[in-house]
Structure formats: structure tokens, C-alpha cells
């Protein structure tokens, strides 16, 4: 049965055709009219020793994301050409011109030209790479400048620059190590949204609720004071039981391995000791002189070393039985009577 035009869901709007709401347009317009503070302005040496003011590319990209949203704008290279490649000796000199277009989600766009130069590098490939990237960055900054003061247009005002030069730069806040992104960490807010979507569709390509629960366990608690537990309905209780069972098994395995690792050395030695030494582990250590009736060919060092036990250990030397038995003519493996 075909659906009528009123019953069909609205088609998803493509980028460039999304209309700004009146409130959103007024807020963006007000933000673009604001001039930049001194911490955004950098300076470099220009021709004739004069100082040139500019805004770094990464700062302008951050400002554009804050103003338009990460999905509210885009940029593209419409044309790029290498103007020259000169080689003087072993060094290369390259110039590249680039046209960059910046477009908003409603279709509004500005396009400008940027230029990149590489001078004095010994690698031809690296020279071209540097000039191309520099041209794209310069074109992007010039295109963003056309939207307003907030995105760099204010630095063209000489009165503004003289005022900014007299203003102290605000100190940048120190970097908080707890806010850094680490491997294995996922934002709890992002996981919550994905979990809600997975709970609505069993065939979702997100890996299933169990995979997301494991990823949520890896998320850093420092980003969220209280853990985020999305509501999965009937699935929540079964997933919690499965997680608890897995934790119990892991804990038992760790305890068993720990008990094995702390086995006493006396138990290990008792298990591997010769028959004549078992049951005599607590015999006191003595140093006996050579008996008068010992055979004349007996090795004195072997006899004395076999009858010496470590002081304080309370155990006989493992060779005490075999060496002394052989020296006194007794059968190997049998214990002799010490005087």
C-alpha cells in the first residue's frame, strides 16, 4: 500500500540547504561582529622589517566550529596550481596558488585565494608539499575573514591593531591533565546517545549493547562525576547480571593465581626432597669432625661439605645423604647415623 504525501516522513535535507532559524541567524550575526582579543593576534616580520599581524589557522578553525557548529560549515579547494619550481644549486624554490571556498549549511559561501611558498629546501617533494599546504591554509583564512571580525577581518583595521598592541595579553589557562583524551576512553555522553539508539533497533551497526557497555567501562570517570547508566528497559537487568558474573569469575581466577604464587619454599623443597631427607627438615645443623674409622681414601672436602648445613635454616644439605653414604661405604639413598 502506497503512502500519501502527508504520511511520508520528510526527506533529510542535504548540506547547503539547511535554513538557519531566525534566532540562530541573529546569534551568529552578533557573534561575527565581535572583535578578537589580544591573545588571538600573532605577529611576524614582514618586508622592510615591519611587523605583520595574523591569526593562526588552528585558532580560526576553532572559532568557526564554535560559531557555526562542527557540522555547520565546510571548506573545499576549488583550484590549485604550481606557479613555479626553481632549483638553484641543491635547493628548491616553489610557489603555489590555491582557491579555497568556505560554505555554511544554508548554502552561503565565500571564496578567496591563498598562496604558499617554499624556499631553500633540499628536497623537491617536501618543497612542493609545504607550498601546497601553506596555500590551502592561507586561502582558508582569507575566506573565513570575509564572514566578519570574529574570523579575522578585524586585523585589517589599523586603529584596532594599535589598540591591541597596547593591551596586555591574557594568560592562557594551564592544561588540565584530566581533560586529555587517552586511548580506550570514550565520552560518556556519546556512549549514552549510542546506547539509546541501539536499544531502539536490534540491527543497529553499533556493536550491540554489550559492546557499548564494555566501552563505557573504559570511559574515564573524571569526565563525569556520576556514572551514566542508560535505560535499556528489560535488557538492563540481564546485562547487569552478566557483567557481575564476569567480574566474579575474574576475581576468583586472580585469587587462585595469587595463592599459587605465595606457596612457601619449604613446601616446594619438601615435595622434591630425597627420601632420606623427608622428615628430617627440622634437624639441627652440626659440623661433625671426620670419624676415626673413616676410609683412608675419603675426600676430605666432599665429606666436610656434605655434612655442613646452612646456619639457621634448620635443613640438611641435599647432598648430605648421598655423599656421606658413598664415602662410608653405605648404599646410595640410605641415611647414616651421625655421632
Amino acid at each position: 500500500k502506497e503512502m500519501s504525501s502527508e504520511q511520508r516522513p520528510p526527506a533529510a535535507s542535504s548540506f547547503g540547504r539547511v535554513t538557519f532559524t531566525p534566532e540562530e541567524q541573529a546569534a551568529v550575526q552578533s557573534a561575527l561582529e565581535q572583535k578578537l582579543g589580544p591573545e588571538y593576534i600573532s605577529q611576524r616580520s614582514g618586508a622592510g622589517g615591519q611587523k605583520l599581524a595574523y591569526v593562526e589557522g588552528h585558532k580560526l578553525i576553532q572559532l568557526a566550529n564554535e560559531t557555526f557548529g562542527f557540522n555547520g560549515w565546510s571548506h573545499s579547494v576549488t583550484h590549485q596550481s604550481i606557479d613555479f619550481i626553481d632549483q638553484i644549486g641543491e635547493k628548491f624554490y616553489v610557489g603555489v596558488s590555491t582557491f579555497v571556498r568556505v560554505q555554511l549549511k544554508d548554502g552561503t559561501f565565500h571564496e578567496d585565494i591563498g598562496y604558499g611558498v617554499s624556499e631553500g629546501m633540499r628536497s623537491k617533494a617536501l618543497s612542493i608539499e609545504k607550498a601546497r599546504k601553506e596555500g590551502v591554509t592561507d586561502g582558508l583564512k582569507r575566506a573565513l575573514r570575509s564572514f566578519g571580525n570574529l574570523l579575522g577581518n578585524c586585523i585589517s583595521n589599523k586603529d584596532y591593531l594599535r589598540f591591541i598592541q597596547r593591551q596586555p595579553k591574557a594568560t592562557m589557562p594551564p592544561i588540565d591533565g584530566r581533560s586529555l583524551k587517552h586511548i580506550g576512553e570514550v565520552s560518556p555522553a556519546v556512549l549514552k546517545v549510542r546506547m539509546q539508539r541501539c536499544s531502539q533497533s536490534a540491527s543497529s551497526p553499533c556493536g550491540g549493547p554489550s559492546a557499548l557497555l564494555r566501552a563505557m567501562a573504559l570511559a574515564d570517570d573524571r569526565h563525569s562525576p556520576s556514572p551514566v547508566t542508560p535505560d535499556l528497559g528489560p535488557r538492563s537487568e540481564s546485562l547487569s547480571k552478566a557483567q557481575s558474573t564476569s567480574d566474579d569469575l575474574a576475581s576468583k581466577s586472580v585469587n587462585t593465581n595469587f595463592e599459587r604464587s605465595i606457596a612457601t619454599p619449604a613446601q616446594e623443597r619438601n615435595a622434591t626432597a630425597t627420601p632420606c631427607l623427608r622428615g628430617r627438615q627440622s634437624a639441627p645443623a652440626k659440623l661433625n669432625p671426620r670419624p676415626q674409622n673413616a676410609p683412608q681414601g675419603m675426600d676430605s672436602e666432599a665429606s666436610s661439605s656434605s655434612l655442613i648445613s646452612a646456619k639457621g635454616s634448620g635443613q640438611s644439605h641435599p647432598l648430605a645423604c648421598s655423599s656421606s653414604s658413598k664415602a662410608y661405604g653405605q648404599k646410595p639413598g640410605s641415611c647414616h647415623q651421625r655421632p
Side-chain angles (χ1 to χ4, degrees), residues 36-39 41-44 50-54 155 157-169:
L36 296 174
E39 61 272 14
I41 309 301
S42 302
Q43 291 186 344
R44 61 181 176 86
Q50 60 179 343
K51 296 291 185 179
L52 300 179
Y54 71 100
I155 63 176
N157 190 333
K158 295 183 179 180
D159 295 334
Y160 163 77
L161 290 180
R162 283 194 292 266
F163 172 79
I164 285 296
Q165 290 176 357
R166 297 192 298 266
Q167 301 299 318
K169 289 188 176 182

Side-chain angles (χ1 to χ4, degrees), residues 1 5 9 35-36 44 49 66 71 99 197 244 246 289 330:
K1 182 180 179 180
S5 58
K35 295 182 176 63
L36 296 174
R44 61 181 176 86
E66 294 175 356
N71 58 350
F99 289 86
R197 186 171 182 179
S244 177
S246 178
Q330 298 179 0

